[in-house]
Amino acid sequence: MSASIDPECSEKKERYDTCFIKWYSEKYLRGESQTDECKDLFKEYQICLNKALKSKGIDAMIEEARKTSPNNDNAKHG
Amino acid sequence: MKVFESSCTFDYPWANVSVANWRKYCAWNTQSTHVVAVDTLSRSVDPSTGVLRTERLITCKQSAPRWLMKFVGGTEESFVREVSEVDPSKRTVTLRSTNLTGSNFVSVQETVIYSPDPIAPESKTLFRQDAQITAYGAFSRLCGAIEDWSVERFGQNAMKGRLGFEAVLEMSAKAFREMRSEEAKI
């Protein structure tokens, strides 16, 4: 799996990603999307990640992008 | 504005490709070395449509020519925000990406769609990619040069991305086969 922006979060990210891929391939693609067994791992990873984004000043950049184009679909596609 | 377009077919079913897509930038992809980190910012399933929406931050490190660095503020680390949607009923994965870094000078908006190949929908997957690259500035010659360079670099990275993803798909299939044969032994 790919690394996190902050090496401190990579282990938490790895645990979450592994959980997510298992859920995605075994549950989600089979129509069982209601379960959320990765919720706690995601929360742990997010606490670490948000701290890193804040200290690098990237959080503001992301907020701005979310406001201008929530789904990145401003470009015209035919 | 310049437009980059490419498409290809992967010899794997859509479901496998959509799983491997989450691993695109793992260690098996030795080509896309410019991607140094991928972080999930948010993720949710729409209860009425079943569409999975994911927002990710992609961190890239790649050198640029000095004349360009001068204009875009010269950091080697750059960030891309990607919003993706998986629609399991239509069997599509759509990824939309925009650059966060240097966006005052050049805007790169990329769309990638993975869908079942119309000729062999159960065994092959169609990959379509397009990008709109627009440079902003008072000097049209400079804008042209920035756009040309960006399109060229985008094409090189797209090529590496395809080769790298091909390797990820192959390794995933191998791991899956091994897991199956282990299961069969039990």
Side-chain angles (χ1 to χ4, degrees):
Chain A
M1 227 70 78
S2 44
S4 171
I5 189 166
D6 187 339
E8 290 244 328
C9 310
S10 283
E11 209 183 298
K12 292 186 173 77
K13 177 188 137 69
E14 174 89 36
R15 276 203 293 269
Y16 167 69
D17 278 350
T18 306
C19 180
F20 167 74
I21 289 199
K22 196 172 154 61
W23 171 83
Y24 182 84
S25 50
E26 292 174 11
K27 302 250 168 98
Y28 179 73
L29 287 182
R30 293 176 189 172
E32 298 167 41
S33 60
Q34 294 85 355
T35 59
D36 197 0
E37 54 258 47
C38 310
K39 201 167 81 186
D40 292 343
L41 291 175
F42 188 66
K43 221 178 258 170
E44 265 182 58
Y45 163 47
Q46 289 298 296
I47 291 169
C48 186
L49 177 65
N50 287 333
K51 220 189 279 170
L53 295 179
K54 209 168 188 178
S55 73
K56 287 173 182 275
I58 305 163
D59 55 338
M61 239 192 242
I62 295 166
E63 272 315 311
E64 190 58 41
R66 279 175 175 160
K67 261 189 258 161
T68 351
S69 184
N71 293 316
N72 272 351
D73 52 3
N74 282 0
K76 286 179 189 73
H77 295 285
Chain B
M1 187 186 79
K2 298 261 159 73
V3 176
F4 174 89
E5 278 177 318
S6 96
S7 67
C8 71
T9 309
F10 291 110
D11 288 340
Y12 298 88
W14 178 81
N16 300 35
V17 174
S18 90
V19 173
N21 170 51
W22 301 116
R23 291 199 186 102
K24 181 168 176 181
Y25 299 111
C26 72
W28 292 335
N29 181 343
T30 54
Q31 300 289 323
S32 304
T33 48
H34 62 289
V35 175
V36 294
V38 180
D39 282 286
T40 303
L41 299 170
S42 66
R43 181 167 266 152
S44 60
V45 177
D46 185 316
S48 59
T49 59
V51 169
L52 172 71
R53 181 186 185 274
T54 304
E55 183 190 22
R56 299 197 297 182
L57 178 75
I58 297 165
T59 308
C60 305
K61 246 184 206 160
Q62 201 164 29
S63 57
R66 209 177 299 160
W67 64 265
L68 183 60
M69 297 289 263
K70 247 187 182 164
F71 284 98
V72 297
T75 50
E76 272 192 32
E77 206 169 51
S78 60
F79 304 105
V80 171
R81 178 174 172 260
E82 173 201 84
V83 177
S84 66
E85 283 186 349
V86 180
D87 189 330
S89 58
K90 287 191 201 139
R91 294 202 288 175
T92 53
V93 179
T94 308
L95 304 115
R96 291 193 174 90
S97 306
T98 311
N99 60 313
L100 296 177
T101 312
S103 54
N104 293 334
F105 298 93
V106 61
S107 139
V108 181
Q109 297 195 305
E110 182 204 37
T111 304
V112 165
I113 301 171
Y114 294 99
S115 57
D117 181 67
I119 300 154
E122 299 310 316
S123 59
K124 291 182 183 187
T125 305
L126 185 65
F127 166 91
R128 281 169 294 161
Q129 174 183 41
D130 75 80
Q132 297 185 2
I133 296 164
T134 314
Y136 309 111
F139 306 103
S140 62
R141 262 188 61 203
L142 180 64
C143 286
I146 291 176
E147 286 178 352
D148 286 342
W149 180 82
S150 304
V151 171
E152 196 188 318
R153 175 58 66 84
F154 194 92
Q156 290 161 356
N157 285 344
M159 177 64 130
K160 287 180 193 167
R162 195 177 65 77
L163 289 172
F165 191 47
E166 195 73 70
V168 173
L169 283 163
E170 203 182 306
M171 289 300 282
S172 301
K174 205 173 148 229
F176 187 68
R177 276 198 303 273
E178 276 165 14
M179 205 174 76
R180 274 289 159 87
S181 71
E182 282 302 310
E183 275 174 10
K185 276 183 210 159
I186 298 164

